[in-house]
Amino acid sequence: MSALANNSIVAVIGSGAMGAGIAQVAAAAGYTVKLYYTRAEAVSKALLDIGKMYAKLAEKGRMTADEAAAATARLQAAGSLADVSDCALVVEAIVENLDVKRGLFAELEALVSDDCILATNTSSISVTAIAAKLRRPERLVGMHFFNPVPLMALVEVISGLATSAQVAATVYNTSIAWGKNPVHAKSTPG
């Protein structure tokens, strides 16, 4: 299985340090990214900060000014969770709370297409437990980034008991396309 096509749309749910970092990396890799959080002002601030980061990277010669402008243009604020319905991959980076994550993924499952991959950035909750109440638990995978996301190369691709091998392989290869060094890991809380 290869990486998600470059014309795929990626959603990131959560605009804190992890969510913003994931959005920054995905947009720099050429993907359109929709950033969503319940507080619209936090999303606006994250998008502004990411744009400033791209400008700094261009000043330092790590990307061209055109690349920085293009990456910034690929970032969008999602006004509601429904705005991510056209995404091929949704990466969740919200509070470490099982019930909150389950609720979010249940909502997402009702909005996105059946072939959309759902990923959690959790580092402390079982992927199997998060997926347990989903209609299609095989499409949920752990995609655990390390902070700060733009600087840390490692991404753990974590399969729960129901995660399909194809979903895990797609996320693994997409991580490579994003300039990361992925490793497959078992779902072990903490």
Side-chain angles (χ1 to χ4, degrees):
M1 198 68 218
S2 57
L4 287 176
N6 212 260
N7 63 351
S8 299
I9 302 171
V10 174
V12 179
I13 311 299
S15 62
M18 295 305 291
I22 295 165
Q24 178 183 330
V25 167
Y31 292 81
T32 296
V33 178
K34 294 183 176 185
L35 188 60
Y36 174 76
Y37 188 59
T38 53
R39 291 189 354 257
E41 66 279 3
V43 173
S44 297
K45 181 184 182 322
L47 294 176
L48 187 65
D49 290 347
I50 295 167
K52 289 177 184 174
M53 186 56 65
Y54 289 148
K56 282 183 186 175
L57 291 170
E59 284 173 20
K60 294 179 180 181
R62 295 200 183 133
M63 62 189 334
T64 68
D66 286 347
E67 289 168 339
T72 300
R74 285 189 288 271
L75 292 165
Q76 304 172 12
S80 71
L81 207 53
D83 290 343
V84 307
S85 64
D86 59 347
C87 293
L89 170 65
V90 179
V91 182
E92 164 273 316
I94 62 171
V95 64
E96 290 290 287
N97 177 296
L98 177 60
D99 291 334
V100 174
K101 289 182 187 296
R102 278 183 174 165
L104 172 66
F105 283 116
E107 273 189 81
L108 286 168
E109 197 171 41
L111 295 169
V112 299
S113 69
D114 281 348
D115 59 351
C116 175
I117 295 172
L118 302 176
T120 177
N121 184 54
T122 189
S123 60
S124 64
I125 300 173
S126 161
V127 171
T128 300
I130 295 170
K133 295 188 177 185
L134 292 178
R135 184 176 43 84
R136 298 203 46 229
E138 68 276 5
R139 68 166 156 176
L140 184 90
V141 65
M143 190 177 193
H144 179 230
F145 293 84
F146 291 81
N147 196 18
V149 175
L151 300 178
M152 302 297 284
L154 183 64
V155 172
E156 292 176 318
V157 178
I158 307 155
S159 293
L161 290 176
T163 305
S164 91
Q166 182 178 359
V167 165
T170 299
V171 167
Y172 184 94
N173 290 317
T174 300
S175 298
I176 293 170
W178 292 3
K180 298 300 179 185
N181 296 326
V183 295
H184 287 287
K186 292 187 189 245
S187 183
T188 316

